[in-house]
């Protein structure tokens, strides 16, 4: 049999498209999106507060999340968001490999193959660290926490300009908790990979015991409220607030809250 490898030889080209390629983007992407959505739906819901979310602005939102309260219809993660999440996980592996190749003794998993982490409040407040650095080819106190994020260009540039504590207080809270609970009191190595340019930003972040205490107190408050079926207060006085509806409030970008209908259908 002779293969006809001429471009578009078996194409079902749109006759109105001036390009002569056989474009199947929609079909390919639909197939990928379907599997990403199915995989996400198959994930068991989390019944604990994660360190990555404890610094969110709204206590009620964290509470809805930890109680696995169903999101408003249509508020599940969009396939595009699931792709970005996956890029974050893969980017973390890439940066870890770069650091290790550059001479950092970076440990990301224990001998049992699991990530290092902490468990507090009877399992209701947990977190897993990206890694711990034991030796390094740059001047830094060791051992040190390693925390990595993968960011879009605008967000990355804001982090470079302002530093992580100002630009990304959510991440600062996460690191403060890790440094406190994992007994890693040296400055953490925070790295941020620009997923558009592949540039890497690195910053040493000192421990912040006051912030760690504040976050720990928050976790206690949320867990107690869940135990007593008490609904925690809203972070905003109106639904149009950026923390609820989503958007940039001048300082930070907020994703739209997934429980807006539920929250604002209550009297308070
Ligand atoms: S809608 Fe706003 S106030 Fe209500 S849980 Fe979400 S972020 Fe909090």
């Amino acid at each position: 049999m002779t293969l006809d490898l001429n471009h578009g030889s078996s194409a079902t080209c749109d006759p109105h498209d001036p390009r002569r390629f056989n474009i199947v983007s929609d079909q390919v992407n639909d197939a990928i999106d379907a599997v990403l959505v199915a995989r996400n739906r198959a994930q068991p819901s989390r019944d604990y507060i994660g360190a990555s979310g404890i610094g969110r602005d709204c206590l009620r939102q964290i509470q809805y999340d930890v109680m696995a309260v169903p999101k408003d219809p249509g508020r599940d993660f969009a396939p595009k968001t699931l792709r970005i999440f996956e890029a974050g996980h893969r980017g973390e592996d890439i940066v870890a490999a770069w650091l290790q190749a550059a001479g950092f003794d970076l440990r990301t998993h224990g001998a049992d193959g699991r990530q290092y982490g902490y468990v507090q409040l009877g399992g209701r407040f947990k977190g897993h660290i990206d890694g711990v650095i034991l030796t390094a080819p740059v001047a830094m106190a060791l051992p040190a926490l390693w925390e990595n994020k993968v960011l879009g260009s605008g967000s990355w540039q804001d982090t470079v300009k302002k530093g992580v504590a100002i630009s990304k207080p959510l991440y600062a809270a996460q690191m403060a908790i890790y440094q406190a609970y994992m007994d890693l009191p040296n400055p953490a190595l925070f790295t941020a990979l620009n997923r558009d340019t592949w540039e890497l930003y690195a910053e040493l972040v000192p421990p912040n015991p006051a912030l760690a205490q504040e976050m720990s107190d928050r976790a206690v408050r949320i867990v107690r409220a869940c135990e007593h079926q008490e609904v925690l207060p809203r972070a905003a006085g109106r639904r149009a607030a950026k923390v609820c509806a989503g958007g940039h409030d001048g300082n930070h970008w907020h994703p739209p809250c997934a429980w807006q209908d539920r929250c604002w259908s209550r009297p308070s």
Side-chain angles (χ1 to χ4, degrees):
M1 186 175 100
T2 305
L3 287 177
D4 178 2
L5 297 176
N6 289 326
H7 213 28
S9 58
S10 59
T12 52
C13 294
D14 178 346
H16 305 295
D17 192 325
R19 295 171 295 181
R20 295 176 59 246
F21 323 122
N22 185 10
I23 299 169
V24 289
S25 303
D26 288 349
Q27 295 92 318
V28 170
N29 281 298
D30 287 352
I32 292 170
D33 287 348
V35 79
L36 292 179
V37 168
R39 210 190 279 167
N40 183 55
R41 286 203 180 124
Q43 295 277 334
S45 53
R46 238 174 22 181
D47 62 352
Y48 62 90
I49 307 166
S52 57
I54 189 63
R56 277 185 279 174
D57 287 293
C58 184
L59 288 173
R60 183 178 296 186
Q61 187 189 66
I62 303 172
Q63 184 182 24
Y64 281 150
D65 205 3
V66 70
M67 293 185 78
V69 171
K71 294 176 180 174
D72 294 343
R75 293 272 181 200
D76 273 332
F77 291 125
K80 182 181 167 192
T81 306
L82 296 172
R83 290 180 185 211
I84 291 170
F85 288 164
E86 183 147 353
H89 295 312
R90 307 269 171 155
E92 183 183 314
D93 293 341
I94 290 168
V95 176
W98 285 349
L99 291 172
Q100 288 161 340
F104 288 81
D105 183 354
L106 166 64
R107 312 287 174 95
T108 57
H109 294 79
D112 59 0
R114 298 165 69 165
Q115 282 182 289
Y116 304 106
Y118 73 87
V119 179
Q120 291 284 320
L121 305 178
R124 303 304 307 275
F125 184 32
K126 294 198 267 190
H128 300 95
I129 64 171
D130 288 344
V132 59
I133 297 168
L134 302 182
T135 63
V138 300
M140 58 186 288
L142 297 163
L145 171 76
W146 173 59
E147 178 64 27
N148 183 74
K149 300 294 177 190
V150 177
L151 305 173
S153 207
S155 178
W156 185 86
Q157 280 164 9
D158 192 73
T159 309
V160 173
K161 188 170 152 199
K162 299 176 186 164
V164 66
I166 301 292
S167 177
K168 304 286 183 296
L170 195 66
Y171 302 160
Q174 184 182 6
M175 283 189 281
I177 279 286
Y178 288 152
Q179 285 167 299
Y181 284 148
M182 300 296 292
D183 199 17
L184 290 168
N186 293 315
L189 180 65
F190 171 78
T191 51
L193 180 65
N194 183 326
R195 66 170 178 260
D196 301 310
T197 65
W198 290 78
E199 290 169 278
L200 191 68
Y201 169 70
E203 178 182 333
L204 290 172
V205 182
N208 187 335
L211 181 58
Q213 187 62 55
E214 186 190 335
M215 293 302 117
S216 174
D217 293 345
R218 276 189 128 204
V220 170
R221 184 170 178 204
I222 295 164
V223 168
R224 284 203 182 130
C226 294
E227 285 167 357
H228 295 101
Q229 301 289 311
E230 170 206 347
V231 179
L232 285 165
R234 298 183 180 113
R238 60 196 184 96
R239 181 172 176 159
K242 295 288 191 282
V243 66
C244 304
H248 207 280
D249 64 5
N251 290 317
H252 302 111
W253 182 82
H254 302 272
C257 177
W259 295 275
Q260 293 174 51
D261 295 343
R262 178 181 296 276
C263 174
W264 289 96
S265 65
R266 292 175 51 91
S268 62

